[in-house]
């Protein structure tokens, strides 16, 4: 199976600190999509960002940014100036071959 | 609101029983995915349908089956339920191999 690995199981930070979540994926495909999802304590899964495999430009969207490096098969996600509301489980995922990482629990303390 | 509707939100049933979970995808989305999320297994992909046809299969047990109807809604049937089937079941939809938008999930408790 083409796995998605999130090595960090839990991260705890104090409000206003930056948080970087690591994601490494396996692939045999030349074209694929990578995603980050957030699952707050309420349980729903919320789509955050998408990156396709042929665009390695890294972007910033508000307090979110991501670093996609095809050479190392990594798709890291950063929350800048974290807030308590950012506390959630964050999942990295890829399509084709739908795979989710195990998730990283982020706790932001006031 | 993601636009994906799952019913019911909660379901409590006994071991050995059969249940059906329903999913209405976002308008226009042809792909429907089913996932199971349990505490010890994380988010597990079960099955994907695209425009009525099975497209990909994950770790779906033989006791489980799914289908997608001509109006694109989907149902996940779980039979001979066991205690270990207790989990949150998510449905997601997407246009085609793009980001998937998730429903709020059905929490199944088998007692």
């Amino acid at each position: 199976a083409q796995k998605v690995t999130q090595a960090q199981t839990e991260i705890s930070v104090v409000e206003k600190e930056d948080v970087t979540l690591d994601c490494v994926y396996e692939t045999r495909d030349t074209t694929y999509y990578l995603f980050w999802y957030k699952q707050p304590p309420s349980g729903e899964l919320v789509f955050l960002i998408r990156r396709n495999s042929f665009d390695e430009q890294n972007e910033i969207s508000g307090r979110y940014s991501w670093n996609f490096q095809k050479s190392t098969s990594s798709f890291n996600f950063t929350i800048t100036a974290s807030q308590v509301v950012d506390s959630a489980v964050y999942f990295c995922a890829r399509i084709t071959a739908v795979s989710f990482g195990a998730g990283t629990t982020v706790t932001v303390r006031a | 609101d993601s636009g994906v509707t799952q019913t019911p939100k909660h379901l409590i049933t006994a071991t050995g029983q059969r249940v059906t979970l329903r999913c209405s995808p976002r308008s226009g989305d042809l792909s429907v995915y089913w996932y199971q999320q349990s505490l010890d297994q994380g988010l597990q992909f079960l099955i994907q349908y695209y425009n009525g046809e099975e497209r990909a299969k994950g770790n779906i047990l033989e006791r489980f089956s799914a289908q997608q109807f001509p109006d694109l809604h989907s149902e996940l049937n779980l039979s001979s339920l066991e205690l270990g089937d207790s989990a949150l079941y998510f449905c997601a939809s997407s246009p085609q191999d793009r980001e998937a938008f998730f429903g709020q999930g059905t929490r199944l408790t088998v007692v």
Side-chain angles (χ1 to χ4, degrees), chain B residues 2-105:
Chain B
S2 67
V4 178
T5 303
Q6 285 187 251
T7 56
K9 286 189 171 42
H10 301 277
L11 195 51
I12 301 175
T13 189
T15 54
Q17 295 297 305
R18 171 191 169 97
V19 297
T20 297
L21 311 184
R22 183 187 167 99
C23 171
S24 294
R26 295 188 321 157
S27 176
D29 285 357
L30 300 180
S31 264
V32 168
Y33 306 83
W34 285 99
Y35 291 86
Q36 179 193 56
Q37 187 178 34
S38 55
L39 283 174
D40 56 347
Q41 293 289 328
L43 201 59
Q44 297 286 319
F45 167 65
L46 296 177
I47 198 164
Q48 177 198 1
Y49 279 84
Y50 180 80
N51 202 19
E53 300 289 326
E54 182 183 303
R55 186 159 192 177
K57 214 166 188 175
N59 300 319
I60 188 167
L61 300 172
E62 284 192 12
R63 300 183 284 110
F64 296 0
S65 65
Q67 54 184 329
Q68 186 180 28
F69 295 87
D71 68 352
L72 301 178
H73 91 271
S74 179
E75 291 181 354
L76 178 67
N77 298 297
L78 315 176
S79 60
S80 303
L81 284 167
E82 302 173 0
L83 295 178
D85 297 327
S86 295
L88 193 52
Y89 290 84
F90 283 104
C91 167
S93 75
S94 72
Q96 182 178 356
D97 284 348
R98 294 172 65 90
E99 61 271 26
F101 292 88
F102 284 77
Q104 294 202 313

Side-chain angles (χ1 to χ4, degrees), chain A residues 11-66:
Chain A
I11 298 175
S12 181
V13 298
V14 176
E15 212 169 13
K16 295 192 181 134
E17 288 184 358
D18 296 348
V19 180
T20 295
L21 308 180
D22 298 333
C23 173
V24 174
Y25 61 92
E26 297 175 2
T27 183
R28 293 186 292 273
D29 300 317
T30 53
T31 302
Y32 49 90
Y33 289 95
L34 298 166
F35 309 88
W36 278 96
Y37 285 86
K38 172 183 177 180
Q39 187 176 37
S42 52
E44 73 271 23
L45 277 158
V46 180
F47 163 73
L48 295 177
I49 57 174
R50 178 188 80 230
R51 171 58 57 202
N52 61 50
S53 57
F54 41 89
D55 183 358
E56 289 195 64
Q57 181 178 352
N58 295 309
E59 293 184 22
I60 296 174
S61 174
R63 294 188 299 111
Y64 298 153
S65 61
W66 50 97

